[in-house]
Amino acid sequence: MNQSNKFLIGIAGGSGSGKTTFLKTLLNHFRPDEVALVSQDNYYKPSTSQEADHNGVLNFDLPTSIDRDHFYKDMVKLSEDSSIEFLEYNFNNPEWIPKKMTIDPAPIIIMEGLFVFHYDEIRTRLDYKVYIDVHHEERLNRRINRDANERGYPEKDVRYQWANHVLPAEEKYLNPYIPECDLIIDNTQHFQDGLKTLVHKMENFLGR
């Protein structure tokens, strides 16, 4: 449990569950100085440090793919009212020049990503855990469309990663922690009900 005067929230969900859209909508309800969002995506290790599977394909869906120590230390810094700096993740796109990002401390800190519950040092400090749920077939369709449109990945590559990396990682590193979550949001159609619950919880902490 968090011992600071901050409210630490963990938000996780499988690939294609709509975390990015949910978080953007959530942050629209608050001022920038009220919420600090830390995304796991910005802590990927370089491709040269990633593990390959039995076919030689790099697997970015392992806990070791993230700079875990940096991710955790940045959460601690924000909890202690210090700003953090890092380079945004460019999804291994050489044409995407990453920008330097700065996040200032805020009363509410959101740790977002697939492994925020699996990393013990983060999970045990969280005050509130949120899981965003969508059926895996719907998530696969979303990922195929996203990766084709935004990242130029062929569908066969997306399906390979899904079957060999994504689903096994979720089953091992995310699903076991779902029962202990404080809020489970079904985002198959929309997330408005769950969003309302979380916004209310955060507003209460801020004394609104």
Side-chain angles (χ1 to χ4, degrees), residues 32 43 50 133 206:
Y43 294 83
Q50 300 294 344
D133 186 29
L206 294 171

Side-chain angles (χ1 to χ4, degrees), residues 125-148:
R125 291 179 65 119
L126 295 174
D127 299 301
Y128 199 74
K129 305 180 189 72
V130 179
Y131 173 70
I132 301 179
D133 186 29
V134 178
H135 191 272
H136 65 86
E137 290 183 359
E138 172 63 21
R139 293 193 291 109
L140 173 58
N141 289 331
R142 293 179 185 180
R143 176 153 174 158
I144 289 173
N145 291 330
R146 181 199 68 189
D147 284 2

Side-chain angles (χ1 to χ4, degrees), residues 2 4 6 8 38 69-84 105 109 111 121-122 125:
N2 171 38
S4 72
K6 309 292 186 182
L8 268 60
V38 186
D69 188 53
H70 189 186
F71 191 37
Y72 169 67
K73 285 182 177 179
D74 276 357
M75 181 185 75
V76 173
K77 285 182 180 179
L78 288 171
S79 299
E80 296 175 347
D81 279 326
S82 296
S83 298
I84 61 174
I109 300 170
M111 302 297 292
E121 65 275 19
I122 291 179
R125 291 179 65 119

Side-chain angles (χ1 to χ4, degrees), residues 66-123:
I66 303 298
D67 188 340
R68 177 174 179 169
D69 188 53
H70 189 186
F71 191 37
Y72 169 67
K73 285 182 177 179
D74 276 357
M75 181 185 75
V76 173
K77 285 182 180 179
L78 288 171
S79 299
E80 296 175 347
D81 279 326
S82 296
S83 298
I84 61 174
E85 292 184 345
F86 53 85
L87 290 177
E88 67 175 347
Y89 182 56
N90 68 353
F91 298 96
N92 297 301
N93 184 346
E95 298 180 1
W96 179 348
I97 300 176
K99 295 181 295 186
K100 187 175 183 178
M101 309 290 290
T102 300
I103 298 178
D104 295 320
I108 297 174
I109 300 170
I110 296 178
M111 302 297 292
E112 175 271 322
L114 179 66
F115 304 124
V116 293
F117 303 149
H118 175 71
Y119 295 150
D120 292 343
E121 65 275 19
I122 291 179
R123 185 185 70 255

